[in-house]
Every structure is written in structure tokens, then in C-alpha cells.
Amino acid sequence: MLITTSMLLWSIVIALLLYRWLRSTGRKPKNFPPGPAYSIPFLGDYGWMLLINGRHLHKAAISLGDFYRTKILGISLSNFPSIVVNDLAVAREVLNRKEFDGRPDLYLARLRDKQFNRRGIFFTDGPAWKEQRWFILRYLRDFGFGRRFPEHESEVNSELLSLIDMLKYGPKYEHEKAIMKDGYVKCPNVLFASFANSFLQVVCGERFPREECGALFETGSNAMLFQRNGDDYGTLLSFYPWLRHIYPFSRRFHTLRDASLRINDFIQSIIEKYLHTHDPNHVRCFLDLYFREMEKCTPQESSFTFQLDQLVLGVVDFFFPAISGATTQLALLFERLLHNPHVIKRMQQEIDDVVGHGRLPTLDDRPQLPFTEATLREGLRIDTLVPSGIAHRLQEDTKLQGYDLPKDTFVLIGMDAMHNQKEYWGDPECFRPDRFLDSNGKLSLAKDASLPFGAGKRLCAGETFARNIMFLALSALMQNFNIRQPPSDRLPDLTDRLTGVIVTPKDFWLRFEPR
């Protein structure tokens, strides 16, 4: 077949246009960290990451960093200059510099709000964020969030006793029967009610009674839907929101959107219950303090102040990690413990020696339970829950490790990567709680360089609450039970995890066998 001159010229023109498109798509600023020279049209370097490892984008970023021999990877996310920091020392620097404290305007965050506004604490920034974050943390502390509070610890103890009763004697209600079959319970779902109630006690001073906890199990399932269907980078919807109208992107959009709104409706129903009976002269709980501020403010649309939609997402931002984050972290740890039964035995011996069996472990026992605490810390390290953290946004032009970064650069922290750096951990692939103990068997915080909750101004505000509730739950369960898989099940494949917004195991079943 003869090629005409016209066809040849058109081929050259198309080739030149394609070359120019490839050169301009995802072009990075001067003196930017190393990364792919050419981006995939439309997708940017997000496309390369999908090709390298679409199921685990944080691992794709590690592979790209290794290929370009850099701990600070420079990429373009659909024309947004972005960096991924895969080094512990650099991550600490970034997290403690205020110019990195911004948040990008991600559509994944906006779809959580009924009107697609930026609301809440985790995905907002600026003066309004600072005011809201300060107020919420300051007054939640008065009710036991982030500090020792005997009344709250007593309620958590009661909640754990209820969980232990269910595990020992079986389900009493229909919602419990859905997660318990033939003596086995579904993980992480079995923990939803206990962890959610522990947080709700702080916010509104009440817990759902056992017979009414079906709403908590349903809300936890919705939270897991969101966690598993998002991704580290906000999904492609954050770069091209119009894709929500096109299948199959529309399917994921509706899964994320519907799950979010159901969680919001649940929290709003609790808020409105207290709002309808609010007396400005009588403070019953944290919500009453927020209602007082709402009465002084006029609701805003473009930004936010003390207003109902902001309160809903503000509470959701703390409730969400409690019901789906901390519960998932313990489920990941249960899988590790199935592979390491000697760790279970050692925790049980320690708890038996210190606490005995007449009561549940308390936070006062924690200093005398160093191996149990070390086991939890090792779980937080080796199974990093949020593998790329939550994206930051650079608020001004700056330099990092000799590189020039322009304002509005996306910044992702490779939490999983830095928790597996051989230069810091030696044998990061090994589950070894003793790495956090000194020569006398005492917990050594100096040996724990991990940052599972971040650092700096964007440190996860629920760190203390999460560490406390996970410690109390783990120690209570180890005190009272051994864990067993169904006889037909193989040991869990620890490489076969799901990566969404967080890393989760596939749902699995365990028997908590009374000791």
C-alpha cells in the first residue's frame, strides 16, 4: 500500500502534536524533585501509578522512588505538581513546617457534605479551620478526649464488659446475629459498637444500649465502604469531578457519596436530638457548648463558622476514625497475632501477672504492661493504617532538601514507606514487639520513631484517644480469650490487603475462645 505525501505530512503533524502534548502534560517546575519525565495524557503521573500498582498506590510511589533513586518523588497529578516523601527524617521536617500545613481542595472531601462544601477538620485549612480545631479539641478534652478522665474510663470499661459478654455467651439481638455465626465473629465489625460508643460518650455523654447498637454496626459498615472505595490520592474524581456522571466512575462516586451521607445522617440525628432540648443555661455535654457558639454566629456558605453543617462534619471527622480506623487497626493486628501465637502467650502471661482475672486492665496498668503496649505499637508500625497519610498542600513557595517547591504543591507522606526503611528499623519486615523494649524489658519511647498519627499541627487529633481505647480493648481481649480461625481457613495472607483511604484486611471470622 503506497503512502501518499498527504498521509505522511498528517502523520508528522499528529506526531508533533502528540509530542508537544506529552511534553506539556504534567510538566514539572524547575529544580523539582526527580520523577517521570513524561506523563500520561489526561491522567498525569497518576496514570503511571495505576499501571505500576493500581491496587496499592503507595507501593507504586515507592517503586517510582526506587527507580529514580530518590526519597522525595516529584510527580504530576493531572497537572498538579506533587511530591511524595518516602523518608522518615524528611517527613518529620515536612510535618513540622507550617508552610506544609495546608490541605488541597479534594473532591473526595467535598462529596462528604450534602451541598459539596468544604467542611469539618481533616480536609480544611485557614483561619476557620484553626478556630474550629482549637474549640473542638479544647472542649472535648473536658469530657475525656485526649486525656485521662476517670468517668470516661469507667464507661469504656462497661463497654468492654458488654463486648466480652457477647463474645463469651453469644448474640442476644438480631444485629449481633449478623456478625456472629457458629461461635465465630466477623472482624473488624465486631468492634464497631464498642469503639463508637466510647467516642459518643465523650461527645454527648451517652452510649447506645446493647439492644440498640444495630445503628452503630450499620454506620460502621458504611464507614468501611468509604474507606475501601477511596484511595490515597483522592481518587480520579478529585482531579476530574465530571467523571462521576460516567460509568464505571459513577458507581464508585455513588458508593462514596451514599456511604458518607448515611454516616452524616446518623451523626446529625444525635446532634438534633440534643439541639431540640438545648438549654443555654445548662451544659450537659460538648454539644451544648458548641450550640452556644452557634447562637452567636450567622451560617456561611463559602466558608464556615459555628454552624450545623460544620458541626456535623466536625464530629464525623473524629467519629469516623474511631468506628472504622481504630477497629481496622486491631483487626490487622489480630491477623498478625494468628501468625505469631507466641506473642499472644507472652501478652497473656504479662497481663495475668500484673492484673490477674478479677478485673479488666486499666490505663493505670499500662506502665506495668510494656510488652502489650509494644505489641500495639509494632502493629501500628508494620501495618500502617493510612499508607500515604492525608494529602497536604504547600501554602507558599519554599525549598525542601535543596529542591524548589511552588505554592499549592500537593504533598503526600509515604507513611508505609518510612515505617519500612531498613536504615531505621533494621528488619522492618519482621513483626517484633521487642524492638520497642530496652534491655530491662521496659518500654522505650526513644526507640519508637514511627509516626502512625503524623506530627506537627496536622497530628491526628485523636491519637491519645485511639491509643488508649486500642490498648484497653487489646489487653481486655487477650486477658479473656485466645483467638482461633475456622478449621477450614488457612493463615491469613498478610500481603493480600485492600488499600483505599486506609489499608484494611478482607473481612474474616475469628473465634474468641474463653481462657
Side-chain angles (χ1 to χ4, degrees):
M1 181 178 177
L2 295 176
I3 300 177
T4 64
T5 303
S6 178
M7 290 175 62
L8 181 61
L9 289 173
W10 274 113
S11 297
I12 293 172
V13 169
I14 291 171
L16 288 172
L17 288 172
L18 181 60
Y19 174 77
R20 184 172 181 178
W21 189 13
L22 287 169
R23 290 285 294 176
S24 62
T25 300
R27 180 176 288 176
K28 300 172 184 67
K30 291 182 179 179
N31 193 33
F32 203 65
Y38 300 100
S39 298
I40 294 177
F42 183 74
L43 295 175
D45 294 330
Y46 187 81
W48 292 126
M49 298 174 74
L50 290 174
L51 288 174
I52 293 168
N53 195 334
R55 292 181 60 222
H56 308 288
L57 294 179
H58 63 286
K59 293 183 179 179
I62 293 172
S63 297
L64 280 172
D66 290 344
F67 181 81
Y68 289 101
R69 299 181 181 180
T70 180
K71 297 296 185 182
I72 308 175
L73 176 68
I75 56 176
S76 171
L77 298 175
S78 181
N79 292 326
F80 292 99
S82 310
I83 63 169
V84 183
V85 178
N86 286 328
D87 179 78
L88 182 57
V90 180
R92 284 187 181 277
E93 178 185 349
V94 167
L95 293 171
N96 285 288
R97 286 172 56 178
K98 64 180 182 179
E99 62 265 40
F100 288 93
D101 285 344
R103 290 289 194 215
D105 187 357
L106 295 176
Y107 191 73
L108 181 65
R110 284 185 176 270
L111 65 78
R112 305 181 315 141
D113 178 70
K114 191 175 293 185
Q115 304 301 324
F116 295 91
N117 290 317
R118 292 183 76 188
R119 295 290 185 265
I121 301 297
F122 285 176
F123 299 100
T124 53
D125 55 17
W129 163 73
K130 290 181 180 178
E131 179 184 48
Q132 292 286 313
R133 186 180 188 274
W134 180 88
F135 183 92
I136 291 175
L137 287 179
R138 164 63 185 83
Y139 290 105
L140 281 180
R141 281 180 60 84
D142 286 350
F143 299 94
F145 190 80
R147 72 181 182 94
R148 296 293 304 274
F149 194 67
E151 291 87 346
H152 181 253
E153 289 175 29
S154 175
E155 295 294 338
V156 172
N157 187 80
S158 298
E159 197 62 42
L160 291 173
L161 287 172
S162 178
L163 173 63
I164 289 168
D165 183 81
M166 180 175 68
L167 293 173
K168 280 185 176 179
Y169 303 112
K172 291 183 179 179
Y173 307 101
E174 288 303 314
H175 55 268
E176 293 177 350
K177 293 176 183 178
I179 61 164
M180 299 187 72
K181 294 179 181 178
D182 302 322
Y184 294 88
V185 295
K186 189 177 183 181
C187 296
N189 306 53
V190 68
L191 301 172
F192 287 165
S194 299
F195 280 56
N197 262 337
S198 297
F199 176 73
L200 292 176
Q201 180 68 39
V202 172
V203 173
C204 60
E206 287 188 90
R207 296 181 288 127
F208 278 65
R210 182 172 168 181
E211 62 271 19
E212 296 177 15
C213 281
L216 298 179
F217 286 112
E218 181 180 352
T219 303
S221 296
N222 283 316
M224 292 302 292
L225 272 177
F226 187 93
Q227 299 280 33
R228 287 172 170 167
N229 281 275
D231 72 26
D232 319 41
Y233 293 74
T235 78
L236 200 55
L237 292 168
S238 286
F239 311 117
Y240 300 105
W242 51 266
L243 287 173
R244 69 188 185 277
H245 302 298
I246 302 173
Y247 185 84
F249 305 102
S250 57
R251 184 176 179 180
R252 173 173 284 197
F253 165 76
H254 286 296
T255 297
L256 291 164
R257 174 78 168 161
D258 293 347
S260 292
L261 294 185
R262 285 193 289 266
I263 297 167
N264 294 1
D265 288 345
F266 171 74
I267 292 297
Q268 187 164 340
S269 69
I270 295 173
I271 291 172
E272 289 181 342
K273 171 187 170 183
Y274 283 83
L275 183 59
H276 291 153
T277 55
H278 170 58
D279 177 358
N281 299 312
H282 176 58
V283 174
R284 301 162 296 179
C285 60
F286 163 79
L287 294 178
D288 283 323
L289 294 171
Y290 198 96
F291 296 154
R292 282 182 176 180
E293 299 302 312
M294 285 171 56
E295 292 168 354
K296 305 173 187 176
C297 300
T298 301
Q300 299 179 20
E301 183 70 23
S302 58
S303 184
F304 54 85
T305 180
F306 291 89
Q307 57 195 65
L308 182 60
D309 60 349
Q310 168 61 18
L311 175 58
V312 170
L313 265 296
V315 173
V316 165
D317 278 348
F318 289 91
F319 175 76
F320 202 84
I323 198 171
S324 62
T327 55
T328 295
Q329 190 75 67
L330 277 192
L332 294 167
L333 182 55
F334 292 156
E335 286 195 331
R336 289 281 171 185
L337 294 176
L338 289 170
H339 281 266
N340 296 273
H342 65 283
V343 174
I344 296 178
K345 289 185 177 5
R346 193 167 159 189
M347 279 194 289
Q348 290 173 335
Q349 185 62 57
E350 180 180 70
I351 294 167
D352 291 348
D353 291 345
V354 173
V355 181
H357 290 273
R359 62 176 176 83
L360 295 184
T362 69
L363 294 179
D364 289 330
D365 298 313
R366 200 179 200 166
Q368 286 75 51
L369 299 173
F371 186 75
T372 304
E373 173 68 14
T375 299
L376 180 57
R377 287 175 177 268
E378 178 69 338
L380 289 165
R381 179 199 69 82
I382 198 168
D383 292 314
T384 304
L385 190 69
V386 189
S388 301
I390 298 177
H392 292 234
R393 177 185 61 83
L394 191 53
Q395 300 183 104
E396 59 187 59
D397 294 350
T398 193
K399 279 186 172 290
L400 177 66
Q401 300 287 306
Y403 296 112
D404 294 321
L405 305 181
K407 179 182 177 182
D408 292 328
T409 295
F410 280 25
V411 182
L412 293 118
I413 307 297
M415 310 288 279
D416 182 71
M418 66 191 196
H419 287 163
N420 284 280
Q421 282 185 266
K422 288 186 181 295
E423 54 264 49
Y424 293 106
W425 305 103
D427 57 348
E429 70 285 352
C430 293
F431 181 72
R432 188 168 59 83
D434 288 278
R435 73 174 73 247
F436 298 124
L437 302 179
D438 64 19
S439 58
N440 296 315
K442 300 297 184 182
L443 186 71
S444 174
L445 295 180
K447 292 187 174 185
D448 188 358
S450 64
L451 297 173
F453 297 93
K457 291 292 186 182
R458 286 294 183 174
L459 172 74
C460 175
E463 176 180 8
T464 301
F465 174 84
R467 286 189 185 275
N468 288 349
I469 189 67
M470 285 191 292
F471 172 82
L472 291 172
L474 176 64
S475 58
L477 292 173
M478 292 299 101
Q479 177 194 46
N480 286 275
F481 303 100
N482 290 308
I483 56 176
R484 300 279 185 267
Q485 291 180 281
S488 59
D489 286 5
R490 296 180 177 179
L491 282 173
D493 181 354
L494 301 180
T495 65
D496 191 22
R497 293 318 188 16
L498 306 171
T499 301
V501 177
I502 64 174
V503 173
T504 66
K506 295 178 180 177
D507 293 341
F508 62 97
W509 296 81
L510 283 182
R511 180 192 293 276
F512 284 82
E513 191 175 83
R515 295 178 62 202

Coordinates of all heavy atoms in Angstrom, one line a residue, residues 309-371:
D309 N -23.9 22.4 59.7 CA -23.3 21.5 58.8 C -21.8 21.4 59.1 O -21.2 20.3 59.0 CB -23.4 22.0 57.3 CG -22.9 23.4 57.1 OD1 -22.5 24.1 58.0 OD2 -22.8 23.8 55.9
Q310 N -21.2 22.4 59.7 CA -19.8 22.3 60.2 C -19.7 21.4 61.4 O -18.7 20.6 61.5 CB -19.2 23.7 60.4 CG -17.9 23.7 61.2 CD -16.7 23.0 60.4 OE1 -16.8 22.7 59.2 NE2 -15.7 22.6 61.1
L311 N -20.6 21.5 62.3 CA -20.6 20.6 63.5 C -20.8 19.2 63.1 O -20.1 18.3 63.6 CB -21.8 21.1 64.4 CG -21.9 20.2 65.7 CD1 -20.7 20.1 66.5 CD2 -23.1 20.7 66.5
V312 N -21.7 18.9 62.1 CA -21.9 17.5 61.7 C -20.6 16.9 61.2 O -20.1 15.9 61.6 CB -23.0 17.4 60.6 CG1 -23.0 16.0 60.0 CG2 -24.3 17.8 61.2
L313 N -19.9 17.6 60.2 CA -18.7 17.1 59.6 C -17.5 17.1 60.6 O -16.6 16.3 60.6 CB -18.3 17.8 58.4 CG -18.8 17.2 57.0 CD1 -18.1 15.9 56.8 CD2 -20.3 17.1 57.0
G314 N -17.5 18.1 61.5 CA -16.5 18.2 62.6 C -16.6 16.9 63.5 O -15.5 16.3 63.8
V315 N -17.8 16.6 63.9 CA -17.9 15.4 64.7 C -17.6 14.1 63.9 O -17.0 13.2 64.4 CB -19.4 15.3 65.3 CG1 -19.6 14.0 66.1 CG2 -19.6 16.5 66.3
V316 N -18.1 14.1 62.7 CA -17.8 12.9 61.8 C -16.3 12.7 61.7 O -15.8 11.5 61.7 CB -18.4 13.1 60.4 CG1 -17.9 12.1 59.4 CG2 -19.9 12.9 60.5
D317 N -15.5 13.8 61.6 CA -14.1 13.6 61.4 C -13.4 13.0 62.6 O -12.3 12.4 62.5 CB -13.5 15.0 61.1 CG -13.6 15.4 59.7 OD1 -13.9 14.5 58.8 OD2 -13.3 16.6 59.3
F318 N -14.0 13.0 63.8 CA -13.5 12.3 64.9 C -14.1 11.0 65.1 O -13.5 10.0 65.6 CB -13.7 13.2 66.2 CG -12.8 14.4 66.2 CD1 -13.2 15.6 65.7 CD2 -11.5 14.3 66.8 CE1 -12.4 16.7 65.7 CE2 -10.7 15.4 66.8 CZ -11.1 16.6 66.2
F319 N -15.4 10.9 64.8 CA -16.1 9.6 64.9 C -15.7 8.6 63.9 O -15.5 7.4 64.2 CB -17.6 9.9 64.8 CG -18.5 8.7 64.8 CD1 -18.8 8.1 66.0 CD2 -19.1 8.2 63.6 CE1 -19.7 6.9 66.0 CE2 -19.9 7.1 63.6 CZ -20.2 6.5 64.8
F320 N -15.4 9.0 62.7 CA -15.0 8.1 61.6 C -13.8 7.3 61.9 O -13.8 6.1 61.8 CB -14.8 9.0 60.4 CG -14.9 8.3 59.1 CD1 -16.2 8.1 58.5 CD2 -13.8 7.8 58.4 CE1 -16.3 7.5 57.3 CE2 -13.9 7.2 57.2 CZ -15.2 7.0 56.6
P321 N -12.7 7.9 62.4 CA -11.5 7.1 62.7 C -11.8 6.1 63.9 O -11.2 5.0 64.0 CB -10.5 8.1 63.1 CG -10.9 9.4 62.5 CD -12.4 9.3 62.5
A322 N -12.7 6.5 64.8 CA -12.9 5.7 66.0 C -13.7 4.4 65.5 O -13.3 3.3 65.9 CB -13.8 6.4 67.0
I323 N -14.7 4.5 64.7 CA -15.5 3.4 64.3 C -14.9 2.5 63.2 O -15.1 1.3 63.1 CB -16.9 3.8 63.9 CG1 -17.9 2.7 64.0 CG2 -17.0 4.5 62.5 CD1 -19.4 3.1 63.8
S324 N -14.1 3.1 62.4 CA -13.5 2.3 61.2 C -12.0 2.3 61.2 O -11.4 1.3 60.8 CB -14.0 2.9 59.9 OG -13.6 4.2 59.7
G325 N -11.3 3.3 61.8 CA -9.9 3.3 61.8 C -9.3 2.4 62.9 O -8.5 1.5 62.6
A326 N -9.6 2.8 64.1 CA -9.0 2.0 65.3 C -9.5 0.6 65.2 O -8.7 -0.3 65.6 CB -9.4 2.7 66.6
T327 N -10.7 0.3 64.8 CA -11.2 -1.1 64.8 C -10.4 -1.9 63.7 O -10.1 -3.0 63.9 CB -12.7 -1.1 64.5 OG1 -13.0 -0.3 63.3 CG2 -13.5 -0.5 65.6
T328 N -10.2 -1.2 62.6 CA -9.4 -1.9 61.5 C -8.0 -2.2 61.9 O -7.4 -3.2 61.6 CB -9.4 -1.0 60.2 OG1 -10.8 -0.9 59.7 CG2 -8.5 -1.6 59.1
Q329 N -7.4 -1.2 62.7 CA -6.0 -1.4 63.1 C -5.9 -2.7 64.0 O -5.0 -3.5 63.9 CB -5.5 -0.2 63.9 CG -4.1 -0.2 64.2 CD -3.2 0.1 63.0 OE1 -3.2 1.2 62.5 NE2 -2.4 -0.9 62.6
L330 N -6.9 -2.9 64.9 CA -6.9 -4.1 65.7 C -7.1 -5.3 64.9 O -6.6 -6.4 65.2 CB -7.9 -3.9 66.9 CG -7.5 -3.2 68.1 CD1 -8.5 -3.4 69.2 CD2 -6.1 -3.5 68.6
A331 N -8.0 -5.2 63.9 CA -8.2 -6.4 63.0 C -7.0 -6.8 62.3 O -6.7 -8.0 62.2 CB -9.4 -6.1 62.0
L332 N -6.2 -5.8 61.8 CA -4.9 -6.1 61.2 C -4.0 -6.8 62.2 O -3.2 -7.7 61.9 CB -4.3 -4.8 60.7 CG -5.0 -4.1 59.5 CD1 -4.4 -2.7 59.3 CD2 -4.9 -4.9 58.2
L333 N -4.0 -6.3 63.4 CA -3.2 -6.9 64.5 C -3.6 -8.3 64.8 O -2.7 -9.2 65.0 CB -3.2 -6.0 65.7 CG -2.3 -6.5 66.9 CD1 -0.9 -6.7 66.5 CD2 -2.5 -5.5 68.1
F334 N -4.9 -8.6 64.8 CA -5.4 -10.0 65.0 C -4.8 -10.9 64.0 O -4.4 -12.0 64.3 CB -6.9 -10.0 65.0 CG -7.6 -9.3 66.1 CD1 -8.9 -8.9 66.0 CD2 -6.9 -9.1 67.3 CE1 -9.5 -8.3 67.1 CE2 -7.6 -8.5 68.4 CZ -8.9 -8.0 68.2
E335 N -4.7 -10.5 62.7 CA -4.1 -11.3 61.7 C -2.6 -11.6 62.0 O -2.2 -12.7 61.8 CB -4.3 -10.6 60.3 CG -5.7 -10.7 59.8 CD -5.8 -10.4 58.3 OE1 -4.9 -9.6 57.8 OE2 -6.7 -10.9 57.6
R336 N -1.9 -10.5 62.4 CA -0.5 -10.7 62.7 C -0.4 -11.7 63.9 O 0.5 -12.5 63.9 CB 0.1 -9.4 63.2 CG 0.3 -8.4 62.0 CD 1.5 -8.7 61.2 NE 1.5 -7.8 60.0 CZ 2.4 -7.9 59.1 NH1 3.4 -8.8 59.2 NH2 2.4 -7.1 58.0
L337 N -1.3 -11.6 64.9 CA -1.1 -12.5 66.0 C -1.4 -13.9 65.7 O -0.9 -14.9 66.3 CB -2.1 -12.0 67.1 CG -1.8 -10.6 67.8 CD1 -2.8 -10.2 68.8 CD2 -0.4 -10.7 68.4
L338 N -2.3 -14.2 64.7 CA -2.5 -15.6 64.2 C -1.2 -16.2 63.7 O -1.0 -17.4 63.9 CB -3.6 -15.6 63.2 CG -5.0 -15.3 63.6 CD1 -5.9 -15.1 62.4 CD2 -5.5 -16.4 64.5
H339 N -0.4 -15.3 63.1 CA 0.9 -15.8 62.6 C 2.0 -15.9 63.8 O 3.0 -16.5 63.6 CB 1.5 -14.9 61.5 CG 0.8 -15.1 60.2 ND1 1.4 -15.9 59.2 CD2 -0.3 -14.6 59.7 CE1 0.7 -15.8 58.2 NE2 -0.4 -15.1 58.4
N340 N 1.7 -15.2 64.9 CA 2.7 -15.2 66.0 C 2.0 -15.5 67.3 O 1.9 -14.7 68.2 CB 3.3 -13.7 66.0 CG 4.0 -13.4 64.8 OD1 5.2 -13.6 64.7 ND2 3.3 -12.7 63.8
P341 N 1.6 -16.8 67.5 CA 0.9 -17.1 68.7 C 1.8 -17.0 70.0 O 1.2 -16.8 71.1 CB 0.5 -18.6 68.5 CG 1.5 -19.1 67.4 CD 1.7 -17.9 66.5
H342 N 3.1 -17.0 69.8 CA 4.0 -16.8 71.0 C 3.8 -15.4 71.5 O 4.0 -15.2 72.7 CB 5.4 -17.0 70.6 CG 6.0 -16.1 69.6 ND1 5.7 -16.1 68.2 CD2 6.8 -15.0 69.7 CE1 6.3 -15.2 67.6 NE2 7.0 -14.4 68.5
V343 N 3.5 -14.4 70.7 CA 3.2 -13.0 71.1 C 2.0 -13.0 72.0 O 1.9 -12.3 73.0 CB 3.1 -12.1 69.9 CG1 2.7 -10.7 70.4 CG2 4.5 -12.0 69.2
I344 N 0.9 -13.7 71.6 CA -0.3 -13.8 72.4 C 0.0 -14.3 73.8 O -0.4 -13.8 74.8 CB -1.4 -14.6 71.7 CG1 -1.8 -14.0 70.4 CG2 -2.6 -14.9 72.6 CD1 -2.8 -14.8 69.6
K345 N 0.7 -15.5 73.8 CA 1.1 -16.1 75.1 C 1.9 -15.2 76.0 O 1.6 -15.1 77.2 CB 1.9 -17.4 74.8 CG 1.0 -18.5 74.2 CD 1.9 -19.8 74.1 CE 1.1 -21.0 73.6 NZ -0.2 -20.9 73.2
R346 N 2.8 -14.4 75.4 CA 3.6 -13.5 76.2 C 2.8 -12.4 76.8 O 2.9 -12.0 77.9 CB 4.8 -13.0 75.4 CG 5.8 -12.3 76.2 CD 7.1 -12.2 75.4 NE 7.9 -11.1 75.9 CZ 9.0 -10.6 75.3 NH1 9.3 -11.1 74.1 NH2 9.7 -9.7 75.8
M347 N 1.9 -11.8 75.9 CA 1.0 -10.8 76.4 C 0.1 -11.3 77.6 O -0.1 -10.7 78.6 CB 0.1 -10.2 75.3 CG 0.7 -9.2 74.4 SD -0.5 -8.4 73.4 CE -1.0 -9.7 72.2
Q348 N -0.5 -12.5 77.4 CA -1.4 -13.1 78.4 C -0.6 -13.3 79.7 O -1.2 -13.0 80.8 CB -2.0 -14.4 77.8 CG -3.0 -14.2 76.7 CD -3.5 -15.5 76.1 OE1 -2.7 -16.5 76.1 NE2 -4.6 -15.4 75.5
Q349 N 0.6 -13.8 79.6 CA 1.4 -14.0 80.8 C 1.6 -12.7 81.6 O 1.5 -12.6 82.8 CB 2.7 -14.7 80.5 CG 3.5 -15.1 81.7 CD 2.8 -16.1 82.6 OE1 2.4 -17.2 82.1 NE2 2.6 -15.7 83.9
E350 N 2.0 -11.7 80.8 CA 2.2 -10.4 81.4 C 0.9 -9.8 82.1 O 1.0 -9.3 83.2 CB 2.7 -9.4 80.3 CG 3.0 -8.0 80.8 CD 3.4 -7.1 79.7 OE1 2.6 -6.7 78.8 OE2 4.6 -6.7 79.7
I351 N -0.2 -9.9 81.4 CA -1.5 -9.4 81.9 C -1.9 -10.2 83.2 O -2.3 -9.7 84.2 CB -2.6 -9.5 80.9 CG1 -2.2 -8.5 79.7 CG2 -3.9 -9.1 81.5 CD1 -3.0 -8.6 78.5
D352 N -1.7 -11.6 83.1 CA -2.0 -12.4 84.3 C -1.2 -12.0 85.5 O -1.7 -12.0 86.6 CB -1.8 -13.9 83.9 CG -2.8 -14.4 82.9 OD1 -3.8 -13.8 82.6 OD2 -2.5 -15.5 82.4
D353 N 0.1 -11.8 85.3 CA 1.0 -11.4 86.4 C 0.6 -10.1 87.0 O 0.8 -9.9 88.2 CB 2.4 -11.4 85.9 CG 3.0 -12.8 85.5 OD1 2.3 -13.8 85.9 OD2 4.0 -12.9 84.9
V354 N 0.3 -9.1 86.2 CA 0.0 -7.8 86.7 C -1.4 -7.5 87.1 O -1.7 -6.9 88.1 CB 0.4 -6.7 85.6 CG1 0.1 -5.3 86.0 CG2 1.9 -6.8 85.3
V355 N -2.4 -8.0 86.3 CA -3.8 -7.7 86.5 C -4.5 -8.8 87.2 O -5.4 -8.6 88.0 CB -4.5 -7.3 85.2 CG1 -5.9 -6.9 85.5 CG2 -3.7 -6.1 84.6
G356 N -4.2 -10.1 86.8 CA -5.0 -11.2 87.2 C -6.3 -11.3 86.4 O -6.4 -10.9 85.2
H357 N -7.3 -11.9 87.0 CA -8.6 -12.1 86.3 C -9.8 -11.5 87.0 O -10.9 -11.7 86.6 CB -8.8 -13.6 86.1 CG -7.9 -14.2 85.1 ND1 -8.1 -14.2 83.7 CD2 -6.6 -14.8 85.3 CE1 -7.1 -14.8 83.1 NE2 -6.2 -15.1 84.0
G358 N -9.6 -10.8 88.1 CA -10.7 -10.2 88.9 C -11.3 -8.9 88.3 O -12.4 -8.5 88.7
R359 N -10.5 -8.3 87.4 CA -11.0 -7.0 86.8 C -10.3 -6.9 85.4 O -9.4 -7.7 85.1 CB -10.6 -5.9 87.7 CG -9.0 -5.7 87.8 CD -8.7 -4.5 88.6 NE -7.2 -4.4 88.9 CZ -6.3 -4.0 88.0 NH1 -6.7 -3.5 86.8 NH2 -5.0 -3.9 88.3
L360 N -10.8 -5.9 84.6 CA -10.1 -5.7 83.3 C -8.9 -4.8 83.5 O -8.8 -4.0 84.5 CB -11.1 -5.0 82.4 CG -12.4 -5.7 82.0 CD1 -13.2 -4.9 80.9 CD2 -12.0 -7.1 81.4
P361 N -7.9 -4.9 82.6 CA -6.8 -3.9 82.7 C -7.3 -2.5 82.5 O -8.3 -2.2 81.8 CB -5.9 -4.4 81.5 CG -6.3 -5.8 81.2 CD -7.8 -5.9 81.5
T362 N -6.6 -1.6 83.2 CA -6.9 -0.2 83.1 C -5.7 0.6 82.6 O -4.6 0.0 82.4 CB -7.3 0.4 84.4 OG1 -6.1 0.4 85.3 CG2 -8.4 -0.4 85.1
L363 N -5.8 1.9 82.3 CA -4.7 2.7 81.9 C -3.7 2.8 83.0 O -2.5 3.1 82.7 CB -5.2 4.1 81.4 CG -6.1 4.1 80.1 CD1 -6.5 5.5 79.8 CD2 -5.3 3.4 79.0
D364 N -4.1 2.7 84.2 CA -3.1 2.7 85.3 C -2.1 1.5 85.2 O -1.0 1.5 85.8 CB -3.8 2.7 86.7 CG -4.5 4.0 87.0 OD1 -4.0 5.0 86.5 OD2 -5.6 4.0 87.6
D365 N -2.6 0.4 84.6 CA -1.8 -0.8 84.5 C -0.8 -0.7 83.3 O 0.2 -1.5 83.2 CB -2.6 -2.0 84.2 CG -3.6 -2.3 85.4 OD1 -3.1 -2.3 86.5 OD2 -4.8 -2.6 85.1
R366 N -1.0 0.3 82.5 CA -0.2 0.3 81.2 C 1.3 0.4 81.5 O 2.1 -0.4 80.8 CB -0.6 1.6 80.5 CG -0.3 1.6 79.0 CD -0.8 2.9 78.4 NE -1.0 2.8 77.0 CZ -1.7 3.7 76.3 NH1 -2.3 4.7 77.0 NH2 -1.8 3.6 75.0
P367 N 1.9 1.1 82.4 CA 3.3 1.1 82.6 C 3.9 -0.3 83.0 O 5.0 -0.6 82.7 CB 3.5 2.1 83.7 CG 2.4 3.0 83.7 CD 1.2 2.1 83.3
Q368 N 3.0 -1.1 83.6 CA 3.4 -2.4 84.0 C 3.1 -3.5 83.0 O 3.4 -4.7 83.2 CB 2.8 -2.8 85.3 CG 3.3 -2.1 86.6 CD 2.8 -0.7 86.6 OE1 1.6 -0.4 86.5 NE2 3.8 0.3 86.8
L369 N 2.6 -3.1 81.8 CA 2.3 -4.0 80.7 C 3.1 -3.5 79.5 O 2.5 -3.3 78.4 CB 0.8 -4.0 80.4 CG -0.1 -4.5 81.6 CD1 -1.6 -4.3 81.2 CD2 0.2 -6.0 81.9
P370 N 4.4 -3.5 79.6 CA 5.2 -2.9 78.4 C 5.2 -3.7 77.2 O 5.2 -3.2 76.1 CB 6.7 -2.8 79.0 CG 6.7 -3.9 80.1 CD 5.3 -3.8 80.7
F371 N 5.1 -5.1 77.3 CA 5.1 -5.9 76.1 C 3.8 -5.8 75.4 O 3.7 -5.8 74.1 CB 5.4 -7.4 76.4 CG 5.5 -8.2 75.2 CD1 6.7 -8.2 74.4 CD2 4.5 -9.1 74.8 CE1 6.8 -9.0 73.3 CE2 4.6 -9.8 73.7 CZ 5.7 -9.8 72.9

